[in-house]
Amino acid sequence: MKNWIWGVVIVFLGVLLLLSASFYTVDQSQNALLMQFGKVLRVEKSPGLYMKWPLLQHVQYVDKRLQSYSPQPVSFLTADKKPVLLDFFAEWRVTDPGLYAARLHDQADAQAQIGDALRTALSSQVGTMSMASLIAVSQQALAAPVLSQVNQQLQNLGIHVLDLRILQVGLSPEVLQATYKRMEAEQIQQANTYRAEGKSAADEIRANAEKEKTTILADAYRQQEEIKGQGDAEAASIYGAAYGKDPQFFAFYRSLEAYRHALSNKTVLVLNPDSPFFKYFRHSLSEAGK
């Protein structure tokens, strides 16, 4: 009796397990592929509950949401042979789950295929552009031909790349360092040019200043000599007028001037007492005035 009851329980559990294995659910973010012996029987794209034959069939799920591919910056060569680093990302999704499941093992394999296709297409496109045109080009103008080539290459994998965005166009560290050195050399050369021009201008200013100084001194000396000559002429005229009025007084005055200049401190004169130089010492002041 007990064995019969256990038998019924075991059969019930087996039927229940068989029934649970006969159904599967599809989420709204997934595509479900019903597989039998490695072949795709059907693809369920709508969310819901579906039935399968247990042990014979199994379900493989494929994400149908928008997915991103964002690699590290990649180096490319422009048409003018200048290496550039492009930082970019792409948005893609699975459009044919059957092809996707048949050709690719997993999402990592899909990302690798997308990366290869993008690098190839970007290399071809960047290779036709100069550095200046690459920097100035719009996102749409650069992405459109690349997306066309990539999707043509990936269509047999059930993948479609919807968008490509270039985040940054830069230079490789080696080229960047060389650019900095070239800029530094150019700045040093320009600074040396400015210094040379400044020195030349300073020398010219000094030369002009010296020339102007010489001219001013010469003009001042000329004016000085003219004024001195006028003064000497006026003094001579005054002396002449004074001599004409009273020759003896003029001779006396001139002698006093000679005494004042000649008989200064520490002056030693060796003269004959009868010398005309001392004639006013030999006569009284009153006689000198007669």
Side-chain angles (χ1 to χ4, degrees), residues 221-236:
Y221 181 76
R222 179 183 58 78
Q223 293 180 9
Q224 171 189 334
E225 291 300 318
E226 288 179 357
I227 294 172
K228 184 178 178 181
Q230 292 175 1
D232 290 343
E234 188 174 352

Side-chain angles (χ1 to χ4, degrees), residues 207-238:
N208 291 334
E210 287 295 329
K211 181 179 179 181
E212 187 175 357
K213 173 186 173 183
T214 303
T215 302
I216 292 173
L217 290 176
D219 187 54
Y221 181 76
R222 179 183 58 78
Q223 293 180 9
Q224 171 189 334
E225 291 300 318
E226 288 179 357
I227 294 172
K228 184 178 178 181
Q230 292 175 1
D232 290 343
E234 188 174 352
S237 176
I238 294 172

Side-chain angles (χ1 to χ4, degrees), residues 144-157:
V146 174
L147 288 176
S148 176
Q149 182 177 343
V150 168
N151 287 321
Q152 184 177 3
Q153 183 176 345
L154 296 177
Q155 64 181 354
N156 61 344
L157 300 179

